[in-house]
Amino acid sequence: MASSATIESQQPLPHSPFAALRLGKSSQSIHARLLRFWDSSNFSNPGEFKGITLLFLDEKDSMINGIIPAEQANHYRRSLQEGDIYRVAHFEVGICPHMYKSTEHTFLIRFLEETTIDPIINNCPHISPQKFMVRNYEQLQILANTNLELPDVVGQIQTVKGYDLKNAEVISPLLIRLRIAPLRGVVTNLDDNTENATWPLSSIGDLSYFLSNPTDQEPYFVCKARIVDVLNKKGWYYICCTRCSKEMVKSAASLRCDQCGNTNDTGVVRYRVELLVDDGNNYATFVVFDKEMLEMTKHHAATLFLNEVNVGLDDKLPQCVSGLEGQTFVFHIRVKPCNSTQNYSPFTVSAISHNIDTKDFNIKEGPCVDLKCDEPSTSPPANNTLTAEVEEGERSCSRE
């Protein structure tokens, strides 16, 4: 069991480096600094306490995990102090699981009932105060969604997002955005001065997080996604009012604008196209309006409408619209607070482009227009803004 003794030997005691450990119950002992320890739960059942996980570092700058089983956790916990150097003896050496690894060592140390752990005061080996399993951006991309490691990362914290952050009593998930390398980290800048801002990529999963965790902030996302389908369920155009730019509705043989009451108007044909997009992990439905569709197709909606009507195909997608399938774009999306309070609400995007380039992110953004969240922005957007609607979904979900 855990010893209360403090080792003050004038001579260094014999011990083994981590590299010399062998599988099985060991008569060896180690001298190591306890870097960190934490309570571990069952990944498939978070409510089940599995024990205490320890992270040790030896004088050879090698790290190894230790495991204290749940039934022995209370006994050993009072002997643990992060940063102290210990002599650990009478333990078992086991194989380190291949999932959620926090060290590169093949083995781990498993505490037994007879295991002793005693702090060393005199003649301590020279052991670094800290070590991290740092991974760079390329390595993180390889590790993404594999659950193989719990790596460390070095970066500059740009923003911290979460629910009611100023309330110390609230426990909620956090979204921390790091700048790892230029145009490589995920960075959100909420400053109104965005003329010289640089916007590395976020994901549809980040959008999903804010949809499920309402805040009073307006985060800005940049998502690179591939168009996997152009949806035609709601058509590809609408008729807008020339007076207020809102959508007009049919009333008998004429058109009527419920926004401004205009009943003497033929209206203007503008784009409204739903795109099912995929960022490689999740999909979403973006609803793209007139100015950005013009940029993508190089054709005015009114011209396409007349051409399609003349050949009797006004209920079909024009070729330049359906041809967007398979193309990849970078979408800039500002999430407004009302997006989290309604099931299907628009997101304002300040730019759209084919490629990720520095010039794509140097955008001077116009003021946000205060719109009802259930209405599209039908006025000509300033400074390359477009409106999008996002429907969250897992990749395995079926499309409607």
Side-chain angles (χ1 to χ4, degrees):
M1 300 296 285
S3 171
S4 59
T6 298
I7 299 177
E8 301 183 7
S9 173
Q10 299 301 315
Q11 298 295 327
L13 295 173
H15 61 279
S16 300
F18 296 163
L21 295 177
R22 297 295 180 262
L23 287 174
K25 289 187 178 181
S26 179
S27 59
Q28 299 171 299
S29 63
I30 62 169
H31 288 186
R33 187 184 299 278
L34 178 59
L35 297 180
R36 291 178 290 282
F37 68 92
W38 60 91
D39 288 353
S40 297
S41 58
N42 190 332
F43 285 104
S44 59
N45 181 15
E48 179 185 351
F49 175 61
K50 298 290 289 184
I52 302 175
T53 299
L54 308 99
L55 184 60
F56 288 114
L57 178 67
D58 71 2
E59 67 267 36
K60 302 295 186 182
D61 212 33
S62 176
M63 291 192 297
I64 195 171
N65 277 131
I67 299 293
I68 301 177
E71 59 271 16
Q72 300 171 25
N74 289 337
H75 178 80
Y76 284 102
R77 190 185 298 274
R78 63 175 179 265
S79 303
L80 305 177
Q81 178 62 50
E82 291 183 353
D84 285 357
I85 296 178
Y86 292 92
R87 176 182 175 86
V88 184
H90 310 297
F91 49 81
E92 182 180 19
V93 178
I95 295 291
C96 185
H98 68 282
M99 303 290 284
Y100 305 106
K101 295 184 64 175
S102 55
T103 78
E104 296 176 338
H105 206 289
T106 306
F107 298 153
L108 58 78
I109 292 173
R110 185 175 293 110
F111 278 51
L112 307 171
E113 290 187 1
E114 59 268 27
T115 299
T116 59
I117 178 169
D118 303 300
I120 303 175
I121 302 301
N122 297 329
N123 287 299
C124 294
H126 178 72
I127 302 176
S128 299
Q130 285 289 352
K131 184 180 180 181
F132 300 93
M133 191 170 67
V134 177
R135 298 293 185 245
N136 60 30
Y137 180 78
E138 287 75 15
Q139 291 168 327
L140 292 176
Q141 283 188 309
I142 295 172
L143 291 171
N145 301 316
T146 65
N147 298 329
L148 292 177
E149 290 186 3
L150 298 175
D152 301 307
V153 62
V154 176
Q156 181 185 40
I157 296 178
Q158 300 292 300
T159 61
V160 179
K161 304 296 180 184
Y163 177 76
D164 203 3
L165 292 178
K166 296 182 179 180
N167 187 347
E169 302 298 322
V170 174
I171 300 176
S172 65
L174 296 178
L175 178 61
I176 300 175
R177 296 178 178 276
L178 294 173
R179 183 188 293 275
I180 298 175
L183 290 180
R184 291 271 177 104
V186 182
V187 179
T188 295
N189 184 348
L190 297 180
D191 197 328
D192 289 336
N193 182 15
T194 59
E195 181 174 1
N196 298 313
T198 298
W199 306 98
L201 293 182
S202 301
S203 68
I204 291 175
D206 294 333
L207 288 173
S208 303
Y209 173 85
F210 277 94
L211 287 177
S212 58
N213 295 272
T215 72
D216 57 356
Q217 300 167 327
E218 295 187 8
Y220 194 93
F221 294 94
V222 181
C223 299
K224 182 179 181 182
R226 181 175 61 90
I227 299 173
V228 296
D229 197 6
V230 181
L231 307 178
N232 196 24
K233 184 177 181 180
K234 296 183 180 180
W236 61 272
Y237 68 90
Y238 67 99
I239 309 298
C240 81
C241 176
T242 57
R243 182 185 298 175
C244 69
S245 296
K246 297 299 181 181
E247 184 174 5
M248 303 190 75
V249 296
K250 290 183 179 180
S251 177
S254 62
L255 295 171
R256 181 187 75 252
C257 178
D258 292 335
Q259 180 72 19
C260 66
N262 183 9
T263 58
N264 186 23
D265 196 348
T266 57
V268 177
V269 176
R270 286 185 173 166
Y271 283 109
R272 183 191 182 280
V273 179
E274 293 191 353
L275 305 175
L276 185 68
V277 302
D278 179 8
D279 69 354
N281 294 305
N282 295 284
Y283 65 79
T285 300
F286 287 0
V287 178
V288 187
F289 289 93
D290 201 64
K291 191 167 185 177
E292 271 55 46
M293 284 301 303
L294 175 59
E295 182 178 332
M296 297 164 74
T297 65
K298 311 303 181 185
H299 294 280
H300 288 277
T303 302
L304 291 178
F305 176 77
L306 291 176
N307 292 340
E308 299 298 314
V309 168
N310 288 337
V311 296
L313 297 175
D314 55 304
D315 60 336
K316 303 294 183 180
L317 287 174
Q319 178 60 39
C320 62
V321 176
S322 61
L324 295 174
E325 183 176 334
Q327 296 190 41
T328 298
F329 293 91
V330 178
F331 300 90
H332 296 235
I333 303 173
R334 180 182 292 278
V335 181
K336 301 185 71 175
C338 55
N339 296 135
S340 301
T341 60
Q342 302 189 23
N343 292 331
Y344 194 76
S345 55
F347 290 83
T348 300
V349 179
S350 62
I352 187 170
S353 60
H354 281 278
N355 301 308
I356 305 173
D357 198 313
T358 303
K359 68 178 183 296
D360 295 329
F361 301 102
N362 294 331
I363 301 160
K364 186 170 183 180
E365 190 175 18
C368 288
V369 181
D370 189 14
L371 302 172
K372 291 183 180 180
C373 275
D374 57 353
E375 293 181 356
S377 172
T378 53
S379 58
N383 299 315
N384 288 334
T385 59
L386 65 86
T387 299
E389 296 172 341
V390 174
E391 289 180 338
E392 174 198 358
E394 297 295 333
R395 290 175 59 83
S396 60
C397 294
S398 60
R399 298 200 308 266
E400 293 183 1

mmCIF file of all heavy atoms in Angstrom, residues 15-23 28-31 58-64 93 105-107 109:
data_model
loop_
_atom_site.group_PDB
_atom_site.id
_atom_site.type_symbol
_atom_site.label_atom_id
_atom_site.label_comp_id
_atom_site.label_asym_id
_atom_site.label_seq_id
_atom_site.Cartn_x
_atom_site.Cartn_y
_atom_site.Cartn_z
ATOM 1 N N HIS A 15 17.487 2.333 -9.209
ATOM 2 C CA HIS A 15 16.164 2.386 -9.838
ATOM 3 C C HIS A 15 16.342 2.171 -11.326
ATOM 4 O O HIS A 15 17.456 2.204 -11.858
ATOM 5 C CB HIS A 15 15.479 3.719 -9.564
ATOM 6 C CG HIS A 15 16.230 4.910 -10.094
ATOM 7 N ND1 HIS A 15 17.303 5.474 -9.431
ATOM 8 C CD2 HIS A 15 16.080 5.629 -11.240
ATOM 9 C CE1 HIS A 15 17.774 6.497 -10.125
ATOM 10 N NE2 HIS A 15 17.047 6.607 -11.235
ATOM 11 N N SER A 16 15.250 1.949 -12.011
ATOM 12 C CA SER A 16 15.283 1.645 -13.436
ATOM 13 C C SER A 16 14.679 2.788 -14.241
ATOM 14 O O SER A 16 13.648 3.357 -13.853
ATOM 15 C CB SER A 16 14.507 0.362 -13.735
ATOM 16 O OG SER A 16 15.062 -0.738 -13.045
ATOM 17 N N PRO A 17 15.281 3.140 -15.381
ATOM 18 C CA PRO A 17 14.621 4.082 -16.290
ATOM 19 C C PRO A 17 13.425 3.406 -16.942
ATOM 20 O O PRO A 17 13.325 2.176 -16.980
ATOM 21 C CB PRO A 17 15.722 4.413 -17.304
ATOM 22 C CG PRO A 17 16.607 3.215 -17.295
ATOM 23 C CD PRO A 17 16.583 2.690 -15.883
ATOM 24 N N PHE A 18 12.529 4.206 -17.467
ATOM 25 C CA PHE A 18 11.320 3.642 -18.074
ATOM 26 C C PHE A 18 11.651 2.692 -19.217
ATOM 27 O O PHE A 18 10.945 1.702 -19.449
ATOM 28 C CB PHE A 18 10.417 4.766 -18.591
ATOM 29 C CG PHE A 18 9.883 5.671 -17.515
ATOM 30 C CD1 PHE A 18 9.353 6.915 -17.837
ATOM 31 C CD2 PHE A 18 9.905 5.289 -16.182
ATOM 32 C CE1 PHE A 18 8.849 7.756 -16.862
ATOM 33 C CE2 PHE A 18 9.400 6.127 -15.189
ATOM 34 C CZ PHE A 18 8.880 7.368 -15.539
ATOM 35 N N ALA A 19 12.720 2.969 -19.943
ATOM 36 C CA ALA A 19 13.078 2.146 -21.097
ATOM 37 C C ALA A 19 13.468 0.735 -20.702
ATOM 38 O O ALA A 19 13.429 -0.186 -21.534
ATOM 39 C CB ALA A 19 14.221 2.802 -21.873
ATOM 40 N N ALA A 20 13.848 0.530 -19.426
ATOM 41 C CA ALA A 20 14.298 -0.795 -18.978
ATOM 42 C C ALA A 20 13.163 -1.631 -18.402
ATOM 43 O O ALA A 20 13.373 -2.796 -18.029
ATOM 44 C CB ALA A 20 15.403 -0.632 -17.939
ATOM 45 N N LEU A 21 11.967 -1.109 -18.306
ATOM 46 C CA LEU A 21 10.847 -1.846 -17.713
ATOM 47 C C LEU A 21 10.429 -3.004 -18.609
ATOM 48 O O LEU A 21 10.485 -2.928 -19.839
ATOM 49 C CB LEU A 21 9.661 -0.916 -17.486
ATOM 50 C CG LEU A 21 9.876 0.214 -16.460
ATOM 51 C CD1 LEU A 21 8.643 1.118 -16.394
ATOM 52 C CD2 LEU A 21 10.193 -0.360 -15.080
ATOM 53 N N ARG A 22 9.995 -4.104 -17.971
ATOM 54 C CA ARG A 22 9.532 -5.284 -18.682
ATOM 55 C C ARG A 22 8.136 -5.655 -18.197
ATOM 56 O O ARG A 22 7.751 -5.366 -17.069
ATOM 57 C CB ARG A 22 10.500 -6.453 -18.452
ATOM 58 C CG ARG A 22 11.907 -6.203 -19.001
ATOM 59 C CD ARG A 22 11.883 -6.078 -20.519
ATOM 60 N NE ARG A 22 13.202 -5.829 -21.081
ATOM 61 C CZ ARG A 22 13.646 -4.616 -21.413
ATOM 62 N NH1 ARG A 22 12.866 -3.555 -21.220
ATOM 63 N NH2 ARG A 22 14.849 -4.463 -21.920
ATOM 64 N N LEU A 23 7.391 -6.332 -19.048
ATOM 65 C CA LEU A 23 6.009 -6.687 -18.716
ATOM 66 C C LEU A 23 5.937 -7.582 -17.487
ATOM 67 O O LEU A 23 6.828 -8.400 -17.237
ATOM 68 C CB LEU A 23 5.351 -7.392 -19.903
ATOM 69 C CG LEU A 23 4.978 -6.513 -21.111
ATOM 70 C CD1 LEU A 23 4.481 -7.381 -22.262
ATOM 71 C CD2 LEU A 23 3.920 -5.489 -20.728
ATOM 72 N N GLN A 28 11.404 -4.088 -9.854
ATOM 73 C CA GLN A 28 12.108 -2.846 -10.100
ATOM 74 C C GLN A 28 11.386 -1.681 -9.440
ATOM 75 O O GLN A 28 10.212 -1.783 -9.067
ATOM 76 C CB GLN A 28 12.209 -2.594 -11.620
ATOM 77 C CG GLN A 28 12.967 -3.658 -12.391
ATOM 78 C CD GLN A 28 12.834 -3.455 -13.893
ATOM 79 O OE1 GLN A 28 11.722 -3.488 -14.425
ATOM 80 N NE2 GLN A 28 13.948 -3.256 -14.556
ATOM 81 N N SER A 29 12.087 -0.581 -9.310
ATOM 82 C CA SER A 29 11.475 0.653 -8.840
ATOM 83 C C SER A 29 11.841 1.762 -9.813
ATOM 84 O O SER A 29 12.826 1.660 -10.558
ATOM 85 C CB SER A 29 11.954 1.006 -7.436
ATOM 86 O OG SER A 29 13.351 1.254 -7.442
ATOM 87 N N ILE A 30 11.064 2.811 -9.808
ATOM 88 C CA ILE A 30 11.343 3.956 -10.682
ATOM 89 C C ILE A 30 11.447 5.216 -9.837
ATOM 90 O O ILE A 30 10.840 5.323 -8.757
ATOM 91 C CB ILE A 30 10.244 4.133 -11.754
ATOM 92 C CG1 ILE A 30 8.887 4.412 -11.094
ATOM 93 C CG2 ILE A 30 10.183 2.928 -12.672
ATOM 94 C CD1 ILE A 30 7.814 4.864 -12.082
ATOM 95 N N HIS A 31 12.215 6.162 -10.302
ATOM 96 C CA HIS A 31 12.256 7.512 -9.739
ATOM 97 C C HIS A 31 11.717 8.432 -10.824
ATOM 98 O O HIS A 31 12.274 8.483 -11.936
ATOM 99 C CB HIS A 31 13.677 7.901 -9.354
ATOM 100 C CG HIS A 31 14.192 7.184 -8.147
ATOM 101 N ND1 HIS A 31 15.402 7.477 -7.558
ATOM 102 C CD2 HIS A 31 13.658 6.178 -7.407
ATOM 103 C CE1 HIS A 31 15.598 6.689 -6.505
ATOM 104 N NE2 HIS A 31 14.542 5.880 -6.404
ATOM 105 N N ASP A 58 10.811 10.624 -16.332
ATOM 106 C CA ASP A 58 12.055 10.213 -15.674
ATOM 107 C C ASP A 58 13.236 11.073 -16.135
ATOM 108 O O ASP A 58 13.078 11.994 -16.952
ATOM 109 C CB ASP A 58 12.327 8.720 -15.892
ATOM 110 C CG ASP A 58 12.719 8.383 -17.325
ATOM 111 O OD1 ASP A 58 12.826 9.309 -18.159
ATOM 112 O OD2 ASP A 58 12.912 7.184 -17.628
ATOM 113 N N GLU A 59 14.440 10.759 -15.599
ATOM 114 C CA GLU A 59 15.612 11.582 -15.892
ATOM 115 C C GLU A 59 16.080 11.427 -17.324
ATOM 116 O O GLU A 59 16.892 12.219 -17.815
ATOM 117 C CB GLU A 59 16.758 11.253 -14.932
ATOM 118 C CG GLU A 59 17.349 9.860 -15.090
ATOM 119 C CD GLU A 59 16.708 8.848 -14.170
ATOM 120 O OE1 GLU A 59 15.480 8.944 -13.922
ATOM 121 O OE2 GLU A 59 17.425 7.958 -13.693
ATOM 122 N N LYS A 60 15.591 10.427 -18.042
ATOM 123 C CA LYS A 60 15.918 10.243 -19.454
ATOM 124 C C LYS A 60 14.954 11.005 -20.364
ATOM 125 O O LYS A 60 14.964 10.840 -21.575
ATOM 126 C CB LYS A 60 15.893 8.756 -19.820
ATOM 127 C CG LYS A 60 16.848 7.890 -18.996
ATOM 128 C CD LYS A 60 18.295 8.241 -19.247
ATOM 129 C CE LYS A 60 19.222 7.274 -18.519
ATOM 130 N NZ LYS A 60 20.658 7.630 -18.719
ATOM 131 N N ASP A 61 14.093 11.824 -19.749
ATOM 132 C CA ASP A 61 13.098 12.626 -20.472
ATOM 133 C C ASP A 61 12.074 11.756 -21.189
ATOM 134 O O ASP A 61 11.560 12.105 -22.246
ATOM 135 C CB ASP A 61 13.783 13.551 -21.484
ATOM 136 C CG ASP A 61 13.022 14.862 -21.676
ATOM 137 O OD1 ASP A 61 12.412 15.333 -20.698
ATOM 138 O OD2 ASP A 61 13.029 15.406 -22.789
ATOM 139 N N SER A 62 11.790 10.605 -20.594
ATOM 140 C CA SER A 62 10.785 9.686 -21.131
ATOM 141 C C SER A 62 9.537 9.752 -20.261
ATOM 142 O O SER A 62 9.633 9.841 -19.029
ATOM 143 C CB SER A 62 11.339 8.260 -21.150
ATOM 144 O OG SER A 62 10.350 7.341 -21.580
ATOM 145 N N MET A 63 8.382 9.701 -20.884
ATOM 146 C CA MET A 63 7.113 9.749 -20.148
ATOM 147 C C MET A 63 6.433 8.384 -20.168
ATOM 148 O O MET A 63 6.554 7.641 -21.144
ATOM 149 C CB MET A 63 6.167 10.798 -20.743
ATOM 150 C CG MET A 63 6.603 12.235 -20.542
ATOM 151 S SD MET A 63 5.300 13.428 -20.960
ATOM 152 C CE MET A 63 5.096 13.107 -22.713
ATOM 153 N N ILE A 64 5.701 8.081 -19.099
ATOM 154 C CA ILE A 64 4.924 6.854 -19.032
ATOM 155 C C ILE A 64 3.678 7.125 -18.195
ATOM 156 O O ILE A 64 3.694 7.977 -17.288
ATOM 157 C CB ILE A 64 5.751 5.697 -18.421
ATOM 158 C CG1 ILE A 64 5.080 4.346 -18.698
ATOM 159 C CG2 ILE A 64 5.950 5.894 -16.917
ATOM 160 C CD1 ILE A 64 5.949 3.144 -18.328
ATOM 161 N N VAL A 93 3.739 -3.931 -14.704
ATOM 162 C CA VAL A 93 3.918 -3.273 -15.991
ATOM 163 C C VAL A 93 2.978 -3.929 -17.005
ATOM 164 O O VAL A 93 2.981 -5.149 -17.171
ATOM 165 C CB VAL A 93 5.375 -3.381 -16.476
ATOM 166 C CG1 VAL A 93 5.532 -2.721 -17.856
ATOM 167 C CG2 VAL A 93 6.314 -2.742 -15.465
ATOM 168 N N HIS A 105 5.110 5.900 -24.926
ATOM 169 C CA HIS A 105 5.651 4.663 -24.363
ATOM 170 C C HIS A 105 4.711 3.490 -24.638
ATOM 171 O O HIS A 105 3.490 3.633 -24.645
ATOM 172 C CB HIS A 105 5.876 4.810 -22.860
ATOM 173 C CG HIS A 105 6.939 3.904 -22.316
ATOM 174 N ND1 HIS A 105 6.774 2.543 -22.208
ATOM 175 C CD2 HIS A 105 8.189 4.165 -21.852
ATOM 176 C CE1 HIS A 105 7.868 2.000 -21.697
ATOM 177 N NE2 HIS A 105 8.747 2.962 -21.465
ATOM 178 N N THR A 106 5.310 2.334 -24.873
ATOM 179 C CA THR A 106 4.527 1.129 -25.160
ATOM 180 C C THR A 106 3.847 0.581 -23.915
ATOM 181 O O THR A 106 2.784 -0.039 -23.996
ATOM 182 C CB THR A 106 5.446 0.033 -25.754
ATOM 183 O OG1 THR A 106 6.132 0.565 -26.879
ATOM 184 C CG2 THR A 106 4.645 -1.173 -26.188
ATOM 185 N N PHE A 107 4.453 0.814 -22.726
ATOM 186 C CA PHE A 107 3.957 0.225 -21.489
ATOM 187 C C PHE A 107 3.293 1.281 -20.601
ATOM 188 O O PHE A 107 3.390 2.479 -20.850
ATOM 189 C CB PHE A 107 5.097 -0.435 -20.710
ATOM 190 C CG PHE A 107 5.771 -1.564 -21.433
ATOM 191 C CD1 PHE A 107 7.096 -1.881 -21.164
ATOM 192 C CD2 PHE A 107 5.095 -2.311 -22.374
ATOM 193 C CE1 PHE A 107 7.733 -2.921 -21.823
ATOM 194 C CE2 PHE A 107 5.706 -3.361 -23.039
ATOM 195 C CZ PHE A 107 7.032 -3.663 -22.762
ATOM 196 N N ILE A 109 2.305 1.709 -16.066
ATOM 197 C CA ILE A 109 2.516 1.185 -14.718
ATOM 198 C C ILE A 109 1.166 1.067 -14.033
ATOM 199 O O ILE A 109 0.416 2.040 -13.937
ATOM 200 C CB ILE A 109 3.450 2.119 -13.919
ATOM 201 C CG1 ILE A 109 4.854 2.072 -14.511
ATOM 202 C CG2 ILE A 109 3.474 1.741 -12.455
ATOM 203 C CD1 ILE A 109 5.790 3.086 -13.907
#
